[in-house]
Amino acid sequence: CHVNFTDPDVPADTLSYSLHGSDSADFRVDNLTGNITTEVSNVDAESSKNQWNFIFRATDLGGLSADTNITMSIVDVNDHSPICNSTDGQTGSQMLVHLEEETSANKTLLELACIDLDRTNANNVLSCSGNFSTYFSLEFTGDKCILHLKANQPIDYDTSP
């Protein structure tokens, strides 16, 4: 961030800049240019403070100053992938399902609970898709983020491909 002040009494290069207020410790200002940089090592809307308020002060050689109140806010971006865990304790990008012979139709074979850690709702839209042939179907309950993989017909080891 850069804040620009002018003083009609003196050349611009004779102004000095400083930050004040409780949140100012998280930022640094270049005393000569007025450029503001963060001292926070990881600015992330989901894991850090998401708004700071501080005062930016420009002071001339005669000691006169002008203050500007600054509010610095984090804009959330879609930077987290959804995380899915199965109800049987499996995690990760691949799940293993063991089917018993004679598994009946409409039996839930795998249930996944999926979450997205992004803070804003616009970044938390989950969907699911896949090619499950005639043997399986996918059911998505968006309000609960639960995924069901179901058998469409009985599974028989001797007759199913």
Side-chain angles (χ1 to χ4, degrees):
C1 175
H2 178 79
V3 179
N4 190 15
F5 276 90
T6 59
D7 185 339
D9 296 333
V10 296
D13 61 355
T14 59
L15 294 175
S16 62
Y17 305 99
S18 58
L19 299 178
H20 302 274
S22 61
D23 289 342
S24 65
D26 290 336
F27 297 90
R28 184 173 55 84
V29 64
D30 184 298
N31 188 39
L32 299 177
T33 66
N35 287 329
I36 300 172
T37 55
T38 181
E39 294 289 311
V40 178
S41 62
N42 182 21
V43 178
D44 185 9
E46 291 76 36
S47 63
S48 67
K49 184 176 181 176
N50 63 4
Q51 183 172 308
W52 294 265
N53 296 292
F54 54 90
I55 298 168
F56 181 92
R57 180 172 293 150
T59 306
D60 67 14
L61 292 175
L64 297 175
S65 63
D67 290 349
T68 297
N69 293 312
I70 295 182
T71 298
M72 193 82 66
S73 299
I74 295 176
V75 176
D76 189 27
V77 296
N78 190 6
D79 58 342
H80 293 279
S81 298
I83 299 168
C84 296
N85 296 306
S86 70
T87 54
D88 67 359
Q90 295 184 67
T91 61
S93 62
Q94 293 186 359
M95 306 281 172
L96 181 61
V97 177
H98 293 284
L99 296 175
E100 294 181 12
E101 186 173 10
E102 306 299 330
T103 297
S104 62
N106 293 319
K107 178 179 179 185
T108 297
L109 306 173
L110 179 66
E111 185 174 282
L112 297 176
C114 301
I115 60 168
D116 190 324
L117 297 177
D118 287 309
R119 180 172 284 177
T120 58
N121 288 338
N123 293 330
N124 284 335
V125 177
L126 298 175
S127 63
C128 45
S129 61
N131 181 7
F132 297 98
S133 73
T134 58
Y135 290 96
F136 304 104
S137 66
L138 194 59
E139 183 181 288
F140 183 65
T141 308
D143 60 332
K144 296 180 182 174
C145 296
I146 301 292
L147 174 76
H148 296 276
L149 179 63
K150 290 189 171 189
N152 283 339
Q153 60 190 37
I155 305 296
D156 187 329
Y157 182 79
D158 300 319
T159 60
S160 300

